Amino acid sequence: MAIAQIIEAIKKYNTIIIHRHVRPDPDAFGSQAGAAEFIRLNFPEKKVRIVGENEPSLQFLATMDEVKDEEYEGALVIVCDTANQPRIDDQRFKNGDKLIKIDHHPVVDSYGDISWVDTEASSTSEMIFYLYKEIEKDGYALNEKAASLLYSGIVGDTGRFLFPSTTEKTFQAASELVSFNFNRPEMYDQMYRTPVKVAKLKGYVLDNFTLHPEGYSTVRLPAEVLDKYGVSPTETSAIVGLLGDIEGILAWAYFVEEEDEIRVRLRSKGPVVNKIAEKHNGGGHPMAAGATAYSWEETEAIAKELKEVCEAFKNMIE
Ligand SMILES: [Mn+2]
């Protein structure tokens, strides 16, 4: 069983380096740093490192370590929350002695000597919590810091327990995690505080989204709009969920212009959108995926594919 193999590997190695995906979100940081905290607590003699680019908006969760190339020699490398190898932040993940994948995305790329993938889990943070539960009876513990990290990851990936990926197991994990005494109001404040410029951009999006009778919607954020609001492409990730509660919208796409490509964010309340993402240099979950387009024409093609999945979905449920 994967969990038993993972624990065996953690016991065996003295250096453990934990990675996660590029463009991190609270689950990437929460599962990575939460796992690190859990290992440090239970194996204080081991050297545990977390690597990847720092992300200012997630600095309240964790700060990455500076890891030297030689630290990878003979190390155990764990990659959290990342479906495929090109998306792993810091490609030195290959340089360890043993590689473990822990993830809840549909398998894109089955890398790792040990691979534990649970697509039913709301988040990788939830998986780390259940890894702990599995071995709790053997005397392993969790602390406040680890609990707050894992809780943030679950909250982030479930949209505060709103998305359909939220299960009974998710609430069970959450209820145990909140028994640790961390400051929830402060965490929510840091996770959901909206800069004024982003709030203004929300106004723009609500004013300019398209809505088609098939139930799909698109939002175009070209460079001139981002410049006008002073918002970076990365900062737009905070407003992707914005259209989810609007009547008549089944699935939607954001097209955000970057320097030499257009970042595509797809969200859905039924039609499967990750197949579209996979056709356009991306991937993800059935209801939440990301892709990259190289021209505005390509975004038109994506909109057309979105239209088709919405139509097919409507025909199926009617
Ligand atoms: Mn995740």
Side-chain angles (χ1 to χ4, degrees):
M1 202 213 152
I3 293 181
Q5 285 178 291
I6 292 169
I7 296 305
E8 272 320 298
I10 292 171
K11 281 183 187 161
K12 187 177 157 203
Y13 286 87
N14 294 321
T15 300
I16 299 159
I17 305 173
I18 311 179
H19 291 238
R20 40 83 192 155
H21 60 79
V22 294
R23 296 174 184 170
D25 53 21
D27 186 37
F29 259 54
S31 58
Q32 176 192 35
E37 204 53 45
F38 170 71
I39 298 169
R40 283 191 195 110
L41 175 70
N42 293 286
F43 301 91
E45 71 287 1
K46 295 191 190 289
K47 189 158 101 177
V48 185
R49 298 276 185 267
I50 52 175
V51 285
E53 291 267 320
N54 271 307
E55 168 51 47
S57 66
L58 297 173
Q59 204 79 31
F60 70 96
L61 291 174
T63 303
M64 298 297 122
D65 299 311
E66 298 275 350
V67 178
K68 297 192 191 81
D69 288 347
E70 50 270 30
E71 292 183 67
Y72 280 87
E73 281 164 31
L76 171 66
V77 175
I78 301 175
V79 180
C80 290
D81 201 38
T82 316
N84 53 336
Q85 298 177 67
R87 287 197 78 225
I88 300 173
D89 194 346
D90 201 327
Q91 289 288 313
R92 293 180 298 171
F93 75 92
K94 295 169 183 146
N95 300 350
D97 187 58
K98 198 183 196 72
L99 181 64
I100 297 176
K101 176 192 194 184
I102 303 179
D103 188 29
H104 69 124
H105 296 87
V107 175
V108 175
D109 174 1
S110 53
Y111 63 86
D113 302 303
I114 302 170
S115 172
W116 178 33
V117 174
D118 181 2
T119 56
E120 304 276 296
S122 71
S123 51
T124 304
S125 297
E126 181 181 312
M127 293 174 70
I128 302 294
F129 172 77
Y130 282 105
L131 183 142
Y132 148 68
K133 287 305 285 180
E134 186 73 26
I135 57 171
E136 188 188 19
K137 57 183 180 311
D138 304 325
Y140 291 92
L142 203 67
N143 61 9
E144 212 168 90
K145 181 89 177 81
S148 78
L149 285 159
L150 298 178
Y151 187 80
S152 305
I154 293 172
V155 165
D157 261 24
T158 60
R160 289 176 268 187
F161 308 104
L162 179 69
F163 303 151
S165 57
T166 311
T167 66
E168 196 183 325
K169 273 183 89 177
T170 313
F171 283 114
Q172 267 162 10
S175 90
E176 274 201 50
L177 288 168
V178 298
S179 71
F180 288 87
N181 195 26
F182 57 89
N183 190 333
R184 256 185 297 155
E186 191 185 299
M187 170 197 297
Y188 285 127
D189 185 54
Q190 284 176 304
M191 282 179 83
Y192 295 101
R193 185 184 297 149
T194 307
V196 173
K197 58 185 184 179
V198 176
K200 300 278 184 189
L201 182 65
K202 274 187 185 180
Y204 173 87
V205 169
L206 290 173
D207 227 12
N208 290 282
F209 71 88
T210 65
L211 173 56
H212 303 272
E214 297 82 2
Y216 75 100
S217 172
T218 57
V219 175
R220 254 176 178 244
L221 295 174
E224 54 271 27
V225 170
L226 296 176
D227 286 348
K228 182 182 164 202
Y229 288 90
V231 173
S232 71
T234 307
E235 287 169 317
T236 62
S237 66
I239 58 170
V240 188
L242 196 54
L243 305 180
D245 57 3
I246 295 172
E247 191 174 16
I249 298 185
L250 283 173
W252 63 101
Y254 272 65
F255 301 122
V256 184
E257 187 172 4
E258 295 196 344
E259 248 168 65
D260 39 21
E261 59 190 42
I262 299 162
R263 194 182 298 180
V264 182
R265 295 198 175 92
L266 295 160
R267 296 291 183 274
S268 173
K269 296 196 296 178
V272 172
V273 295
N274 59 348
K275 297 280 174 265
I276 300 174
E278 283 165 22
K279 275 195 247 170
H280 299 275
N281 318 292
H285 302 281
M287 303 295 129
T292 304
Y294 292 97
S295 66
W296 289 107
E297 289 74 56
E298 190 177 353
T299 68
E300 295 298 323
I302 292 169
K304 190 164 164 275
E305 288 160 29
L306 199 56
K307 176 183 168 180
E308 287 161 4
V309 295
C310 286
E311 268 176 335
F313 183 81
K314 277 196 159 182
N315 288 336
M316 194 181 75
I317 57 171
E318 266 159 20

